Amino acid sequence: MPSYDVIVCGAGTGGLTVAHALARQGKSVLLVDKADGTAETFKGEVLQPRSLGIFERLGLLEAVRAAGAERIDQLVCAQPSGKRICAMDYRQLPEPHNHCLTHTYRGLVDTLVDALPPGVDLRRGTRAAGLLRDAKGRITGVNLVRGSERFEADAHLVVAADGYSSKLRTEAGIPVSMIAYEHQVMAFDLVGVGHLPPEALTLVTRDGIRLVYPMPHGRGRFYAQIPRGESNKIGKHGRGAWADAMLRSVPAMAPVADAVSSGIDESRVLSARRFVARTWALPGFALVGDAAHAVHPMAGQGMNAAIADGAFLADALAGIDTLTSAKADAAIREYQRLGLTRMEFVSRFSHNFATLFTGTTTREWLMARYILHRHDTNPRLSFKVMYNLSGLGVMRFSRLDRLQQLGLPDPNARRLPVASA
């Protein structure tokens, strides 16, 4: 008999969501992660409404709030001067999850780890070194390494939640084609900025986006788009001068300018890429989160898609009191059918959303400002974008919607679509 019902490799938000949900179903879960603790990083900071609903269902939302998560009510786009171009108000969505929450990645992960139920066997500092297979090639477990100790663990299902460069995905023989964007993002931790407004402010400039939003404990995050490879030209010693010039060109950044300058030495450069694996499930094996897909970070969908994956997978396994290999394989086929269809939409939407903001040619910049202004005068279209970002469901844009984005009159512009949480 397998030692566990499920082995989850990777204790990020996606892997932790799977572990929590399956343990609540009474399944035994081994959760392994190669790191001894949670490193702080610039990713996975914005929880969209769907994720809030999933966490509430798992009994985790109050713990996240108690850990100091900050609320975001609006997504605001503005000119460098701060003059508003358009805004999307999450408070128009159905209650109670009609907002976003922000927290540091480490804060979120540590909160989820602290709340793990007894049915989860968490082993930090333990690396999944390879997959185990039976005589028919079905994946039945993993080879694990902890320090000098090597051992095997078997289960009816192995879940790879080990990131976009997933070694388990590669060993399982699932190929991906990553596409790198032609820009990167310089990320800053803003210390001592006090209570920033409850909004994510995107400043649309000729040099790309400048994004700032509140974080817990009087902090904030700031992300500045730069051309790919530009950080090498700037150099570590040139970042201060670059930041000063950038801040002078964006007057709206004045309230946090000192914090940006103070954080220059600790700033990091992040790359943006996208892919969706064509296969998420093999007999005895499933992909979750960044192992299955990557999207542009600006749309705030990466971590939220991983959390949704975890919920989809757990839902597919729900109702199975005694897990068997055959039942696991049937469940993950359903997980792939539902999750992959959803993620293909999220990937296209995130790419189009990011492309609208990140173009830096004169034509792209003018078109972005025009379309954003059209959305400000058409609450119906603006609501569709916000609803898709929220993760609560899918509202596709019709050809007529596209024409109305470009200026065709819309008699229903003030009539918001009906949404359900």
Side-chain angles (χ1 to χ4, degrees):
M1 291 290 292
S3 304
Y4 298 90
D5 288 319
V6 180
I7 299 172
V8 180
C9 302
T13 51
L16 283 161
T17 300
V18 174
H20 271 279
L22 294 182
R24 286 173 65 89
Q25 296 175 11
K27 296 177 175 63
S28 59
V29 180
L30 172 62
L31 175 61
V32 301
D33 195 274
K34 64 182 179 181
D36 288 315
T38 310
E40 190 57 276
T41 184
F42 291 90
K43 70 173 186 179
E45 297 165 346
V46 179
L47 290 166
Q48 295 282 352
R50 177 180 172 81
S51 295
L52 302 185
I54 291 170
F55 279 0
E56 183 169 60
R57 185 166 50 129
L58 296 176
L60 299 169
L61 184 55
E62 286 310 308
V64 172
R65 293 190 192 280
E70 285 285 328
R71 178 172 172 137
I72 287 180
D73 288 327
Q74 294 189 90
L75 306 181
V76 178
C77 301
Q79 299 176 20
S81 65
K83 182 179 179 181
R84 186 181 110 162
I85 302 174
C86 73
M88 290 173 278
D89 193 335
Y90 274 80
R91 290 168 294 188
Q92 295 174 332
L93 294 172
E95 294 182 349
H97 307 127
N98 57 346
H99 58 279
C100 300
L101 290 178
T102 66
H103 211 308
T104 63
Y105 181 75
R106 182 167 64 186
L108 284 170
V109 168
D110 287 349
T111 298
L112 300 184
V113 167
D114 290 344
L116 281 170
V120 179
D121 180 4
L122 172 62
R123 302 196 188 184
R124 296 270 205 177
T126 302
R127 177 171 57 88
L131 298 170
L132 303 176
R133 290 179 169 86
D134 63 16
K136 295 182 178 180
R138 185 184 187 277
I139 293 169
T140 59
V142 289
N143 286 303
L144 298 170
V145 177
R146 180 179 175 85
S148 60
E149 180 186 7
R150 294 177 176 268
F151 55 100
E152 297 180 351
D154 55 331
H156 291 297
L157 176 63
V158 174
V159 177
D162 54 340
Y164 74 89
S165 59
S166 172
K167 292 182 179 179
L168 294 181
R169 180 189 66 217
T170 300
E171 185 177 344
I174 300 176
V176 297
S177 298
M178 291 193 191
I179 301 173
Y181 285 90
E182 290 302 317
H183 59 267
Q184 294 174 301
V185 178
M186 192 172 290
F188 295 76
D189 181 25
L190 306 182
V191 180
V193 292
H195 267 300
L196 295 175
E199 62 186 30
L201 174 62
T202 300
L203 298 163
V204 183
T205 81
R206 295 296 300 267
D207 298 314
I209 60 168
R210 309 292 185 243
L211 172 64
V212 62
Y213 51 76
M215 294 289 283
H217 314 305
R219 295 187 176 225
R221 281 288 193 262
F222 173 56
Y223 294 93
Q225 177 185 336
I226 58 174
R228 191 167 66 185
E230 184 71 13
S231 64
N232 294 330
K233 298 176 183 178
I234 295 170
K236 191 76 173 178
H237 298 295
R239 287 189 181 183
W242 172 86
D244 289 343
M246 182 271 298
L247 290 168
R248 286 194 299 271
S249 70
V250 190
M253 290 295 299
V256 296
D258 289 344
V260 171
S261 298
S262 298
I264 192 69
D265 290 338
E266 302 301 322
S267 63
R268 301 182 196 175
V269 176
L270 312 176
S271 295
R273 60 183 66 82
R274 63 186 174 98
F275 74 88
V276 178
R278 303 309 305 169
T279 299
W280 290 15
L282 298 172
F285 184 77
L287 301 177
V288 161
D290 288 352
H293 46 71
V295 295
H296 193 285
M298 181 194 169
Q301 299 298 294
M303 175 179 66
N304 293 280
I307 292 169
D309 288 350
F312 273 129
L313 181 55
D315 287 348
L317 291 163
I320 302 175
D321 294 330
T322 303
L323 193 62
T324 65
S325 296
K327 290 178 179 178
D329 290 348
I332 61 176
R333 286 194 295 270
E334 178 66 5
Y335 158 68
Q336 173 172 280
R337 185 184 70 82
L338 295 174
L340 185 54
T341 299
R342 163 73 180 169
M343 196 60 214
E344 286 174 340
F345 171 82
V346 170
S347 179
R348 288 193 301 271
F349 174 81
S350 297
H351 173 67
N352 293 338
F353 185 80
T355 300
L356 174 65
F357 286 90
T358 57
T360 55
T361 67
T362 298
R363 179 180 178 278
E364 290 170 330
W365 179 71
L366 290 174
M367 181 60 73
R369 288 184 53 160
Y370 176 76
I371 291 177
L372 290 171
H373 175 71
R374 290 289 305 164
H375 275 252
D376 196 48
T377 60
N378 190 319
R380 184 184 66 82
L381 295 180
S382 181
F383 185 91
K384 276 192 167 187
V385 172
M386 178 179 60
Y387 188 77
N388 290 331
L389 285 172
S390 76
L392 294 176
V394 171
M395 288 188 179
R396 299 183 186 277
F397 274 62
S398 66
R399 290 183 180 178
L400 182 58
D401 290 335
R402 301 295 183 192
L403 291 173
Q404 287 162 346
Q405 281 182 312
L406 297 175
L408 185 70
D410 181 1
N412 297 312
R414 300 289 170 183
R415 185 179 299 170
L416 299 186
V418 177
S420 58

